[in-house]
């Protein structure tokens, strides 16, 4: 197998693990409060990242005060904010719908950059944003007779989708803040920092949730362990091993695997039925990703899904 094909396979597998975070979050949400689950996730992932830092001899970053403040904001938004909002969102929204919303990340990140940095959007980027919006509307627009929380168009599910979209915005802000660092941080060191800061920032709110006062299902704990070790750590390793063998635009295209992975895993693992609206929404999101890559700005989106992992 050529190095390019290896890179494509590794990036695709990495995005499968990232898509599975939506399903894992659905399992976690059924038994653990969001901040407790977030703190446990980072507590499990941090020792592994520290070992990887030592094995790879990656130097520990020494940011100045300004960069340190930015890194803390990144952790608050991308690590804690993303995870907490995703877990809260999938309590009400079907995992399949949440996965489609999460897949809008490249377009949302580009839109945030346009608004915050006042970049002039190209025609492909405008089309990407329009398609991503259409994808979200396809799965969230109220339908007649929608009454159950499991329905992707019920009021509860719409609220869940909005919370997941809020998680995506947090990730987009993470990417924007990363561009503001004076001294770039190596990916492995950045993942370790985000995991450490995420643990610190989520620990105090987790204590107020007092999760130890009630029984915790084994499934929820297993979901946290999976989230911490597979999408967070293994997903990071797979992504950067794959992207190192590909051009940036090529690697970015594999973020398209995320919503497809979430749809398939929601059907196989959670037994959710996939509606036509969800398929249409996923198709729109896939088209949005393709247009974003043509615009040359898809690199913003490719950083983030794995960051959900540090995300």
């Amino acid at each position: 197998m050529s190095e390019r094909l290896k890179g494509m396979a590794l990036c695709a597998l990495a995005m499968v693990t990232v898509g599975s975070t939506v399903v894992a979050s659905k399992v976690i949400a059924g038994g653990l409060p969001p901040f407790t689950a977030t703190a446990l996730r980072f507590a499990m992932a941090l020792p592994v990242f520290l070992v990887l830092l030592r094995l790879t001899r990656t130097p520990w970053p020494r940011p100045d005060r300004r960069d340190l403040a930015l890194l803390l904001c990144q952790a608050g938004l991308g690590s804690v904010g993303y995870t907490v909002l995703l877990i809260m969102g999938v309590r009400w929204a079907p995992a399949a719908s949440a996965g489609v919303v999460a897949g809008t990340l490249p377009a949302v990140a580009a839109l945030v950059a346009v608004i915050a940095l006042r970049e002039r959007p190209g025609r492909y980027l405008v089309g990407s944003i329009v398609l991503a919006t259409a994808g979200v509307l396809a799965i969230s627009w109220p339908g007649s007779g929608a009454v159950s929380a499991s329905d992707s168009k019920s009021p509860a599910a719409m609220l869940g989708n909005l919370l997941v979209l809020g998680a995506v915005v947090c990730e987009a802000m993470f990417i924007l803040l990363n561009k503001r660092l004076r001294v770039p941080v190596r990916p492995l060191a950045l993942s370790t920092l985000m995991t450490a800061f995420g643990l610190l920032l989520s620990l105090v709110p987790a204590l107020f949730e007092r999760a130890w006062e009630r029984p915790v299902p084994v499934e929820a704990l297993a979901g946290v362990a999976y989230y911490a070790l597979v999408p967070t750590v293994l997903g990071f390793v797979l992504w950067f091993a794959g992207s190192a063998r590909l051009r940036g635009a090529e690697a970015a295209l594999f973020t398209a695997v995320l919503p497809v992975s979430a749809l398939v895993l929601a059907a196989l693992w959670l037994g959710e039925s996939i509606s036509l609206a969800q398929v249409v929404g996923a198709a729109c999101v896939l088209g949005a990703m393709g247009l974003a890559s043509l615009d040359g700005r898809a690199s913003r989106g490719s950083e983030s899904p794995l960051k959900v992992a540090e995300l």
Side-chain angles (χ1 to χ4, degrees):
M1 182 183 292
S2 68
E3 287 299 303
R4 183 169 178 271
L5 286 178
K6 285 182 183 177
M8 294 170 70
L10 289 169
C11 284
L13 187 55
M15 285 300 104
V16 170
T17 71
V18 174
S20 71
T21 62
V22 178
V23 176
S25 296
K26 188 79 171 179
V27 175
I28 293 167
L32 279 170
F35 282 101
T36 300
T38 301
L40 284 173
R41 174 199 166 197
F42 292 134
M44 293 178 184
L46 182 57
V48 182
F49 275 125
L50 290 173
V51 170
L52 289 175
L53 271 183
R54 186 171 183 82
L55 290 176
T56 58
R57 298 182 179 179
T58 302
W60 187 256
R62 298 181 181 274
D64 58 23
R65 289 184 179 179
R66 177 184 175 277
D67 278 6
L68 182 61
L70 285 175
L71 289 167
L72 281 169
C73 288
Q74 283 182 278
L77 289 168
S79 294
V80 178
Y82 179 94
T83 307
V84 168
L85 288 174
L86 181 60
I87 291 173
M88 292 174 64
V90 295
R91 282 183 175 174
W92 296 292
S97 296
V100 173
V101 176
T104 64
L105 179 57
V108 172
L111 178 61
V112 168
V114 168
I115 295 172
L117 301 180
R118 297 183 180 180
E119 295 179 357
R120 173 179 285 184
R123 65 181 184 276
Y124 291 122
L125 178 58
V126 172
S128 172
I129 294 168
V130 170
L131 272 177
T133 303
V136 174
L137 289 177
I139 62 171
S140 302
W141 197 259
S144 58
V147 292
S148 73
S150 62
D151 191 323
S152 65
K153 297 185 180 184
S154 70
M158 290 175 65
L159 174 60
N161 287 332
L162 284 175
L163 288 170
V164 176
L165 186 60
V168 172
V169 172
C170 285
E171 270 300 285
M173 290 301 298
F174 168 89
I175 298 168
L176 179 63
L177 289 172
N178 197 51
K179 304 292 184 183
R180 296 295 190 178
L181 292 174
R182 287 174 178 165
V183 179
V185 181
R186 294 186 181 185
L188 181 56
L190 181 62
S191 293
T192 308
L193 273 176
M194 292 300 100
T195 301
F197 287 161
L199 176 59
L200 290 174
L201 292 172
S202 59
L203 194 55
V204 172
L207 293 176
F208 283 97
E209 290 176 334
R210 305 176 71 88
W212 61 85
E213 293 183 348
R214 53 185 178 275
V216 177
V218 175
E219 294 83 359
L221 291 175
V224 172
Y226 172 85
Y227 199 153
L229 301 177
V230 179
T232 303
V233 178
L234 180 60
F236 167 89
V237 173
L238 290 171
W239 178 260
F240 285 103
S243 60
R245 294 172 167 85
L246 301 173
R247 296 194 306 271
E250 288 180 322
L253 288 174
F254 284 90
T255 58
V257 176
L258 193 162
V260 177
S261 168
L263 279 173
V264 172
L265 291 173
L268 294 179
W269 190 260
L270 299 177
E272 291 186 1
S273 58
I274 306 302
S275 68
L276 178 60
Q278 290 166 336
V279 173
V280 171
C284 290
V285 169
L286 293 178
M289 290 180 178
L291 288 178
S293 67
L294 290 176
D295 195 74
R297 295 184 174 88
S299 59
R300 294 187 181 97
S302 63
E303 294 173 3
S304 177
L306 276 193
K307 215 254 66 261
V308 162
E310 297 118 10
L311 257 132

Short mmCIF file of all heavy atoms in Angstrom, two decimals, residues 135-166:
data_model
loop_
_atom_site.label_atom_id
_atom_site.label_comp_id
_atom_site.label_asym_id
_atom_site.label_seq_id
_atom_site.Cartn_x
_atom_site.Cartn_y
_atom_site.Cartn_z
N GLY A 135 -28.47 21.79 5.68
CA GLY A 135 -28.40 20.50 6.33
C GLY A 135 -28.98 20.51 7.72
O GLY A 135 -29.72 19.60 8.12
N VAL A 136 -28.65 21.55 8.49
CA VAL A 136 -29.18 21.67 9.85
C VAL A 136 -30.69 21.89 9.81
O VAL A 136 -31.45 21.29 10.59
CB VAL A 136 -28.48 22.82 10.61
CG1 VAL A 136 -29.13 23.04 11.97
CG2 VAL A 136 -27.00 22.50 10.79
N LEU A 137 -31.16 22.74 8.89
CA LEU A 137 -32.59 23.00 8.79
C LEU A 137 -33.36 21.74 8.38
O LEU A 137 -34.49 21.51 8.84
CB LEU A 137 -32.85 24.12 7.79
CG LEU A 137 -32.45 25.53 8.23
CD1 LEU A 137 -32.69 26.53 7.10
CD2 LEU A 137 -33.19 25.95 9.49
N ALA A 138 -32.74 20.92 7.54
CA ALA A 138 -33.41 19.72 7.06
C ALA A 138 -33.78 18.77 8.20
O ALA A 138 -34.82 18.12 8.18
CB ALA A 138 -32.54 18.98 6.04
N ILE A 139 -32.92 18.70 9.21
CA ILE A 139 -33.19 17.77 10.31
C ILE A 139 -33.88 18.45 11.49
O ILE A 139 -34.33 17.77 12.42
CB ILE A 139 -31.88 17.11 10.82
CG1 ILE A 139 -30.92 18.16 11.37
CG2 ILE A 139 -31.24 16.29 9.73
CD1 ILE A 139 -29.73 17.58 12.07
N SER A 140 -33.97 19.79 11.47
CA SER A 140 -34.50 20.50 12.64
C SER A 140 -35.79 21.25 12.37
O SER A 140 -36.45 21.66 13.32
CB SER A 140 -33.45 21.50 13.16
OG SER A 140 -32.26 20.83 13.50
N TRP A 141 -36.15 21.46 11.11
CA TRP A 141 -37.36 22.24 10.83
C TRP A 141 -38.59 21.50 11.34
O TRP A 141 -38.76 20.33 11.09
CB TRP A 141 -37.49 22.49 9.33
CG TRP A 141 -38.45 23.61 9.02
CD1 TRP A 141 -39.75 23.48 8.61
CD2 TRP A 141 -38.19 25.00 9.11
NE1 TRP A 141 -40.30 24.72 8.43
CE2 TRP A 141 -39.38 25.68 8.73
CE3 TRP A 141 -37.07 25.75 9.48
CZ2 TRP A 141 -39.48 27.06 8.71
CZ3 TRP A 141 -37.17 27.13 9.46
CH2 TRP A 141 -38.35 27.78 9.07
N PRO A 142 -39.47 22.22 12.07
CA PRO A 142 -40.63 21.53 12.67
C PRO A 142 -41.49 20.85 11.62
O PRO A 142 -41.76 21.41 10.56
CB PRO A 142 -41.41 22.67 13.35
CG PRO A 142 -40.40 23.75 13.56
CD PRO A 142 -39.44 23.65 12.41
N GLY A 143 -41.90 19.65 11.95
CA GLY A 143 -42.79 18.91 11.05
C GLY A 143 -44.16 18.76 11.69
O GLY A 143 -44.35 18.96 12.88
N SER A 144 -45.11 18.40 10.92
CA SER A 144 -46.46 18.24 11.45
C SER A 144 -46.54 16.96 12.27
O SER A 144 -46.05 15.92 11.87
CB SER A 144 -47.47 18.18 10.30
OG SER A 144 -47.17 17.12 9.43
N GLY A 145 -47.17 17.07 13.43
CA GLY A 145 -47.41 15.89 14.25
C GLY A 145 -46.21 15.38 15.00
O GLY A 145 -46.25 14.27 15.52
N ALA A 146 -45.15 16.17 15.10
CA ALA A 146 -43.96 15.70 15.82
C ALA A 146 -44.16 15.94 17.30
O ALA A 146 -44.27 17.05 17.75
CB ALA A 146 -42.72 16.44 15.33
N VAL A 147 -44.20 14.86 18.06
CA VAL A 147 -44.49 15.03 19.48
C VAL A 147 -43.48 14.37 20.38
O VAL A 147 -43.34 14.76 21.53
CB VAL A 147 -45.90 14.50 19.81
CG1 VAL A 147 -46.96 15.35 19.16
CG2 VAL A 147 -46.06 13.06 19.38
N SER A 148 -42.80 13.36 19.94
CA SER A 148 -41.91 12.62 20.84
C SER A 148 -40.52 13.18 20.82
O SER A 148 -40.06 13.71 19.81
CB SER A 148 -41.86 11.14 20.45
OG SER A 148 -41.11 10.98 19.27
N ALA A 149 -39.84 13.06 21.96
CA ALA A 149 -38.47 13.57 22.06
C ALA A 149 -37.53 12.82 21.16
O ALA A 149 -36.48 13.31 20.80
CB ALA A 149 -38.00 13.50 23.51
N SER A 150 -37.90 11.59 20.79
CA SER A 150 -37.02 10.82 19.92
C SER A 150 -37.14 11.26 18.47
O SER A 150 -36.30 10.94 17.64
CB SER A 150 -37.35 9.32 20.03
OG SER A 150 -38.68 9.08 19.61
N ASP A 151 -38.22 11.99 18.13
CA ASP A 151 -38.39 12.50 16.78
C ASP A 151 -37.38 13.62 16.55
O ASP A 151 -37.25 14.52 17.37
CB ASP A 151 -39.82 13.05 16.64
CG ASP A 151 -40.17 13.37 15.20
OD1 ASP A 151 -39.28 13.85 14.47
OD2 ASP A 151 -41.34 13.16 14.83
N SER A 152 -36.70 13.57 15.40
CA SER A 152 -35.64 14.55 15.13
C SER A 152 -36.19 15.95 14.95
O SER A 152 -35.41 16.90 14.88
CB SER A 152 -34.83 14.14 13.89
OG SER A 152 -35.66 14.18 12.74
N LYS A 153 -37.54 16.09 14.82
CA LYS A 153 -38.12 17.42 14.63
C LYS A 153 -39.01 17.83 15.78
O LYS A 153 -39.74 18.81 15.68
CB LYS A 153 -38.89 17.46 13.30
CG LYS A 153 -37.97 17.24 12.09
CD LYS A 153 -38.71 17.41 10.79
CE LYS A 153 -37.77 17.19 9.61
NZ LYS A 153 -38.41 17.44 8.31
N SER A 154 -39.01 17.13 16.89
CA SER A 154 -39.77 17.52 18.05
C SER A 154 -39.10 18.72 18.71
O SER A 154 -37.91 18.98 18.50
CB SER A 154 -39.86 16.36 19.04
OG SER A 154 -38.59 16.14 19.62
N PRO A 155 -39.85 19.49 19.52
CA PRO A 155 -39.24 20.63 20.20
C PRO A 155 -38.02 20.25 21.04
O PRO A 155 -37.02 20.97 21.07
CB PRO A 155 -40.39 21.17 21.07
CG PRO A 155 -41.63 20.75 20.34
CD PRO A 155 -41.31 19.42 19.74
N ALA A 156 -38.11 19.12 21.74
CA ALA A 156 -36.98 18.69 22.56
C ALA A 156 -35.76 18.39 21.70
O ALA A 156 -34.63 18.76 22.03
CB ALA A 156 -37.36 17.46 23.39
N ALA A 157 -35.99 17.71 20.57
CA ALA A 157 -34.89 17.39 19.68
C ALA A 157 -34.30 18.64 19.05
O ALA A 157 -33.08 18.73 18.85
CB ALA A 157 -35.36 16.42 18.59
N MET A 158 -35.14 19.61 18.75
CA MET A 158 -34.65 20.87 18.20
C MET A 158 -33.75 21.58 19.20
O MET A 158 -32.70 22.14 18.84
CB MET A 158 -35.81 21.77 17.80
CG MET A 158 -36.58 21.27 16.58
SD MET A 158 -38.03 22.27 16.20
CE MET A 158 -37.24 23.82 15.77
N LEU A 159 -34.14 21.55 20.48
CA LEU A 159 -33.30 22.13 21.52
C LEU A 159 -31.97 21.38 21.59
O LEU A 159 -30.90 21.99 21.71
CB LEU A 159 -34.02 22.06 22.87
CG LEU A 159 -33.18 22.51 24.09
CD1 LEU A 159 -32.73 23.96 23.94
CD2 LEU A 159 -33.98 22.32 25.38
N GLY A 160 -32.03 20.06 21.50
CA GLY A 160 -30.81 19.28 21.51
C GLY A 160 -29.90 19.62 20.35
O GLY A 160 -28.68 19.78 20.52
N ASN A 161 -30.48 19.78 19.16
CA ASN A 161 -29.69 20.15 17.99
C ASN A 161 -29.05 21.52 18.17
O ASN A 161 -27.91 21.75 17.75
CB ASN A 161 -30.55 20.15 16.73
CG ASN A 161 -30.89 18.75 16.27
OD1 ASN A 161 -30.15 17.80 16.51
ND2 ASN A 161 -32.03 18.60 15.62
N LEU A 162 -29.77 22.45 18.79
CA LEU A 162 -29.21 23.78 19.04
C LEU A 162 -28.04 23.71 20.01
O LEU A 162 -27.04 24.43 19.85
CB LEU A 162 -30.29 24.72 19.60
CG LEU A 162 -31.32 25.24 18.59
CD1 LEU A 162 -32.40 26.06 19.31
CD2 LEU A 162 -30.63 26.10 17.53
N LEU A 163 -28.14 22.84 21.02
CA LEU A 163 -27.03 22.68 21.96
C LEU A 163 -25.81 22.08 21.25
O LEU A 163 -24.67 22.50 21.50
CB LEU A 163 -27.46 21.78 23.12
CG LEU A 163 -28.44 22.41 24.12
CD1 LEU A 163 -28.97 21.34 25.08
CD2 LEU A 163 -27.77 23.54 24.90
N VAL A 164 -26.03 21.13 20.36
CA VAL A 164 -24.93 20.55 19.60
C VAL A 164 -24.31 21.62 18.69
O VAL A 164 -23.09 21.69 18.54
CB VAL A 164 -25.40 19.34 18.78
CG1 VAL A 164 -24.26 18.80 17.90
CG2 VAL A 164 -25.89 18.23 19.71
N LEU A 165 -25.16 22.45 18.09
CA LEU A 165 -24.65 23.54 17.27
C LEU A 165 -23.82 24.51 18.11
O LEU A 165 -22.79 25.02 17.66
CB LEU A 165 -25.81 24.29 16.60
CG LEU A 165 -25.42 25.37 15.59
CD1 LEU A 165 -24.60 24.78 14.45
CD2 LEU A 165 -26.67 26.07 15.05
N GLY A 166 -24.25 24.74 19.36
CA GLY A 166 -23.45 25.55 20.27
C GLY A 166 -22.09 24.92 20.53
O GLY A 166 -21.07 25.61 20.62
#
